[in-house]
Amino acid sequence: MSPANRYALTFPGTPGTQAPQDVVVVSRTGMTGPGGHPVYEDASGIVRAEISDAGEVRMLASGGHQSPHFPVHAEPLP
């Protein structure tokens, strides 16, 4: 199965609040991550993730002192 070119990553809202979940669209970059899978990033380049063909997500830091949160769900987009 060929990897998707875009994914919608859904992150949990702020704990202890009624805040909605955050959804970030990421696009394939042409790079591969440490696991050998494609790397995706959002338009700002801040949200970066390695996503396997099985939809497993590994968040990648895009800068120093960053502690990326893990998404609840990765949905391939057309």
Side-chain angles (χ1 to χ4, degrees), residues 9-74:
L9 302 180
T10 304
F11 296 87
T14 305
T17 69
Q18 301 260 340
Q21 294 180 326
D22 292 321
V23 177
V24 178
V25 174
V26 293
S27 299
R28 192 171 177 170
T29 65
M31 296 183 285
T32 56
H37 302 289
V39 172
Y40 296 78
E41 67 183 20
D42 72 338
S44 71
I46 294 172
V47 177
R48 298 182 73 223
E50 176 182 12
I51 304 176
S52 74
D53 291 349
E56 299 163 316
V57 179
R58 177 190 306 198
M59 297 304 297
L60 304 172
S62 61
H65 306 290
Q66 192 177 33
S67 178
H69 295 281
F70 291 97
V72 174
H73 184 70

